[in-house]
Amino acid sequence: MNRRRISFYNLSIKNIISRDDSILDQARIRLIYYGLILSFVGILAILPNVYNLHESMQFTLAVILLFVFFILFKYFTFIPDWVAVSHALLAMGTGVIFFSVYFLFQSVNIIVIQLVLLIILFGYYMLDVTWGTVYSLINLASVLGFLVYDDATHTLTKLRPETIDGYTMIVSVFFNFIIIMFIQGHFYNAFVKNIKELKGFADSEKQLNEKLEKAMIRSEKSSEAQSDFLSTMSHEIRTPLNAVIGMSNLLMMENPRPDQKENLEILRFSAGNLLTLINDVLDFNKIESGKIAFENIKFNLNELMQNICGGQMVKAQEKGLDFSLHVDGFLKTRYMIGDPTRLSQIIFNLISNAIKFTKKGGVKVSVTCVQDRHNEATIRFSIQDSGIGIADDKIAAIFEPFTQESITTTRQFGGTGLGLAIVKRLLELQGVSINVTSEIGVGSEFFFVMDFPVSTDTLVPEEPLRNITPAERGDYPIGNMQVLIAEDNPVNVMLMKKLFSKWNITPVIAENGERAIELLQYGNFDIILMDLQMPVLDGFEAAKAIRKMPDPKKATIPIIALTASALFDIKDRVYNAGMNDYVSKPFKPNELMDKMLNLVIPVS
């Protein structure tokens, strides 16, 4: 509704209609504007005639209507409130009909019928159904009441009814029909235009939906391309990195001089940092792609925390920091059900950060059972440090990807700024929030509270079963192990030969999967180390072909996948192809030997 004030001297409809008005409102404004002009002209046309005929009541009514129309027109061009003007016109029309039927003509003629039709049309089009119905019923009741009373041949008043001459009748009927036609035609056009506009909106919305769908498809393809690109780049980076770390490990095994050992430690540390950065980027990409699936397996929190903190404790001690781990006694004998791998990743990142940003003092890790509900436990994890601290206005920022508290922090401590972003995302995906309390120069505490289903099994206080390490298998002649390595990269081949020579093993090398199958057919091997990405025949297809060999011994030979790939489903693909285990490049020599011995000589 438009109630703005315009210049008092305005007479133009252009200043009344606003672009903000709907099509129907614009039609209503035009109807009042032009309708008042038509009514004013019609009254002027019959005014001289009724004056000459000395019809006093008709003349008086015409003068009053002329004056009212002029006042309403001036008001409307000054304050275009079409609702108020519509009510005024309908009320005036109702009064005119009542006066005409009961006093002026004392009959229901064609002019009265036209006026009733005008009020019905005008009421419904200009106002809502409610007001249209009210005005229509009032006028119909007025006319019907007169007809009923007149049917009893009673005279309503002592006033002499006036008659309408032919000229007045013709002019009144003409202008009434013109206004009726104008109302109907005007609103018909408005409704048609409105329907066309709605159709245009529908077509536009359809086009937008199609564009949105195409954009979503492009976004999905872009996301897939990004994932493939990261996986490919990871493979290409990990492959030479495998050689760098592998050679560092080999040189460390050759009892280097102290100065050489220091240089090798720096080389190995830098390569390890590079590997960590690559893993962070890949993990974050995996999380953002929504391809994270959480396991629900049984594990003991105390054992998990001991394993996580074992290596971290050494790092803390190397920096001269105190490191303490406290696990609630209740948790030491209970099995939780959840995803120990992701929980380890969360705790590891938080502890690594605590050690990284602490120069003196120490790091305290505590795991406490807040509430035990028999079949479910609420556990609070806390990592507290005496490090540099975080400003209150920077706490939210540190959880954003590729962000640290400040540029100075990044330069001083390094890193991608992905660790805490990964922690936050992993917790949020499980409906858990990370909390931080910190004070500059005093330290920080990162903590979160998590619910775990509790297994009915209890931990037996015995020495847990573990894999037998190479050192504990001194009676096994490792040098007699027959190893087939399927690897196409010459640098990796050289690295593997040097590494296995330390174990007195001479491996047989196959440059692709097809060659590996041929060598296995004519030779006897204890285990196969299978690279996955090779020419001619890749590791997956080669493993499937081996599992179909007619010789049961060859078909069941242990196969370990060696992969530098970071595809999300690599683990499932390895096992689905029939391989027994996998080792990610770059790998630790002891880890590889452990897995080989466990498959060649299974622990009973």
Side-chain angles (χ1 to χ4, degrees):
M1 187 190 307
N2 195 346
R3 290 186 178 180
R4 69 188 189 285
R5 288 175 179 265
I6 308 171
S7 171
F8 181 77
Y9 301 101
N10 173 61
L11 294 175
S12 173
I13 192 173
K14 293 180 180 178
N15 297 325
I16 300 174
I17 294 178
S18 169
R19 291 181 179 179
D20 297 331
D21 295 326
S22 66
I23 292 175
L24 287 178
D25 286 351
Q26 290 181 23
R28 286 163 174 155
I29 291 170
R30 289 192 182 93
L31 176 60
I32 291 177
Y33 183 85
Y34 293 113
L36 285 171
I37 293 175
L38 278 172
S39 300
F40 192 83
V41 172
I43 296 294
L44 278 178
I46 65 172
L47 189 62
N49 186 64
V50 294
Y51 177 78
N52 292 330
L53 293 174
H54 303 289
E55 299 289 353
S56 57
M57 284 193 294
Q58 292 183 48
F59 180 78
T60 303
L61 179 62
V63 171
I64 292 172
L65 290 176
L66 206 62
F67 178 75
V68 171
F69 287 148
F70 175 78
I71 295 298
L72 287 176
F73 183 80
K74 196 68 207 74
Y75 172 82
F76 187 65
T77 54
F78 176 49
I79 304 174
D81 185 353
W82 55 265
V83 174
V85 174
S86 298
H87 278 291
L89 287 171
L90 287 166
M92 184 185 68
T94 301
V96 168
I97 289 173
F98 184 84
F99 178 75
S100 298
V101 170
Y102 287 91
F103 299 100
L104 184 61
F105 305 127
Q106 298 183 22
S107 66
V108 177
N109 54 35
I110 189 170
I111 295 176
V112 171
I113 293 172
Q114 284 182 322
L115 289 174
V116 172
L117 289 175
L118 275 172
I119 285 177
I120 292 173
L121 289 174
F122 194 82
Y124 279 109
Y125 281 136
M126 292 302 298
L127 304 175
D128 55 20
V129 175
T130 303
W131 281 111
T133 305
V134 169
Y135 283 113
S136 298
L137 290 176
I138 289 173
N139 286 277
L140 287 174
S142 176
V143 171
L144 290 174
F146 172 81
L147 292 173
V148 171
Y149 200 69
D150 185 59
D151 188 55
T153 64
H154 288 88
T155 302
L156 297 178
T157 65
K158 295 181 179 181
L159 295 174
R160 179 185 66 84
E162 296 184 357
T163 59
I164 305 176
D165 68 299
Y167 175 80
T168 303
M169 175 70 74
I170 292 169
V171 172
S172 298
V173 169
F174 172 77
F175 274 97
N176 284 341
F177 271 126
I178 290 296
I179 294 174
I180 290 172
M181 291 167 61
F182 178 74
I183 292 174
Q184 189 63 31
H186 193 64
F187 275 97
Y188 174 80
N189 288 332
F191 288 138
V192 169
K193 189 176 180 182
N194 198 42
I195 290 169
K196 288 180 178 178
E197 189 176 79
L198 288 174
K199 185 177 183 299
F201 284 147
D203 292 340
S204 177
E205 185 177 357
K206 183 180 179 182
Q207 291 175 0
L208 285 174
N209 287 334
E210 289 175 353
K211 289 180 180 178
L212 178 61
E213 187 176 352
K214 290 178 181 177
M216 290 177 66
I217 292 171
R218 285 197 301 269
S219 176
E220 289 175 2
K221 289 182 178 178
S222 175
S223 178
E224 290 175 3
Q226 177 186 344
S227 298
D228 292 342
F229 172 76
L230 285 172
S231 297
T232 303
M233 289 305 297
S234 165
H235 182 272
E236 296 304 315
I237 293 172
R238 282 170 180 263
T239 299
L241 196 57
N242 178 52
V244 173
I245 294 177
M247 285 298 182
S248 301
N249 289 327
L250 284 174
L251 292 171
M252 289 291 289
M253 295 167 66
E254 294 179 351
N255 298 318
R257 298 192 311 269
D259 60 324
Q260 293 175 327
K261 185 176 181 182
E262 183 180 353
N263 292 337
L264 289 171
E265 286 288 358
I266 294 171
L267 178 63
R268 189 165 64 172
F269 177 78
S270 299
N273 272 352
L274 179 57
L275 181 61
T276 300
L277 297 181
I278 294 170
N279 289 337
D280 281 348
V281 172
L282 294 170
D283 280 340
F284 185 75
N285 180 61
K286 188 187 296 185
I287 293 168
E288 291 297 288
S289 301
K291 296 183 179 179
I292 287 286
F294 292 94
E295 292 183 313
N296 278 305
I297 60 175
K298 185 173 67 173
F299 68 97
N300 178 255
L301 258 178
N302 183 53
E303 289 181 359
L304 185 72
M305 293 304 299
Q306 295 291 343
N307 291 335
I308 296 171
C309 294
Q312 299 291 67
M313 189 178 297
V314 175
K315 286 186 180 179
Q317 289 171 353
E318 287 175 352
K319 289 187 69 174
L321 302 176
D322 295 328
F323 188 97
S324 65
L325 168 64
H326 170 73
V327 180
D328 200 317
F330 166 81
L331 302 173
K332 293 181 179 179
T333 58
R334 296 290 190 280
Y335 283 109
M336 302 295 127
I337 297 174
D339 192 331
T341 303
R342 295 302 170 192
L343 182 59
S344 298
Q345 191 174 6
I346 293 166
I347 300 296
F348 182 86
N349 276 332
L350 291 175
I351 296 175
S352 294
N353 257 27
I355 295 172
K356 180 179 181 180
F357 294 105
T358 303
K359 290 184 177 179
K360 61 180 181 178
V363 175
K364 297 179 181 178
V365 182
S366 64
V367 184
T368 311
C369 179
V370 177
Q371 188 176 10
D372 172 23
R373 296 183 292 278
H374 300 295
N375 61 340
E376 190 176 57
T378 301
I379 314 297
R380 184 180 189 273
F381 297 86
S382 168
I383 293 85
Q384 191 173 1
D385 64 66
S386 57
I388 60 175
I390 309 162
D392 291 340
D393 59 339
K394 299 292 184 182
I395 288 179
I398 64 174
F399 291 103
E400 294 302 317
F402 308 105
T403 303
Q404 291 188 349
E405 185 188 11
S406 66
I407 295 176
T408 304
T409 303
T410 305
R411 288 175 179 171
Q412 185 176 357
F413 296 95
T416 59
L418 279 176
L420 290 178
I422 291 171
V423 167
K424 183 184 179 184
R425 299 290 200 280
L426 286 175
L427 286 174
E428 285 178 344
L429 288 172
Q430 299 175 85
V432 179
S433 58
I434 182 76
N435 302 282
V436 184
T437 58
S438 186
E439 186 177 347
I440 296 292
V442 177
S444 308
E445 181 186 12
F446 290 77
F447 63 93
F448 61 92
V449 178
M450 205 169 184
D451 291 330
F452 290 94
V454 180
S455 173
T456 53
D457 299 336
T458 55
L459 187 65
V460 180
E462 294 178 358
E463 183 70 20
L465 293 175
R466 56 188 175 84
N467 292 336
I468 300 175
T469 64
E472 294 171 314
R473 300 197 185 193
D475 57 334
Y476 179 77
I478 295 176
N480 294 333
M481 188 183 295
Q482 301 297 312
V483 181
L484 172 61
I485 300 177
E487 172 67 67
D488 66 312
N489 187 287
V491 176
N492 285 340
V493 169
M494 181 180 67
L495 173 64
M496 296 298 282
K497 284 181 176 179
K498 287 181 175 291
L499 175 62
F500 276 70
S501 68
K502 300 292 182 182
W503 297 331
N504 297 320
I505 297 174
T506 304
V508 176
I509 306 297
E511 61 273 16
N512 55 61
E514 187 176 83
R515 180 61 178 158
I517 294 171
E518 291 175 1
L519 291 172
L520 181 59
Q521 286 175 337
Y522 300 107
N524 292 312
F525 298 97
D526 297 310
I527 192 167
I528 299 175
L529 303 183
M530 183 79 74
D531 186 33
L532 297 181
Q533 294 188 10
M534 295 181 292
V536 185
L537 193 67
D538 64 27
F540 297 108
E541 295 303 319
K544 291 176 182 177
I546 290 171
R547 294 302 182 221
K548 295 177 182 178
M549 284 186 170
D551 186 342
K553 184 178 179 181
K554 295 181 186 297
T556 57
I557 185 172
I559 304 175
I560 296 178
L562 295 178
T563 176
S565 175
L567 290 171
F568 301 132
D569 57 348
I570 193 68
K571 183 178 179 180
D572 293 335
R573 290 183 64 192
V574 164
Y575 291 133
N576 290 338
M579 289 179 261
N580 303 83
D581 207 339
Y582 76 101
V583 175
S584 296
K585 298 177 185 177
F587 57 82
K588 296 177 182 178
N590 288 341
E591 178 189 1
L592 176 61
M593 178 53 71
D594 274 349
K595 292 195 174 187
M596 289 171 60
L597 290 174
N598 287 334
L599 290 171
V600 174
I601 311 174
V603 180
S604 58

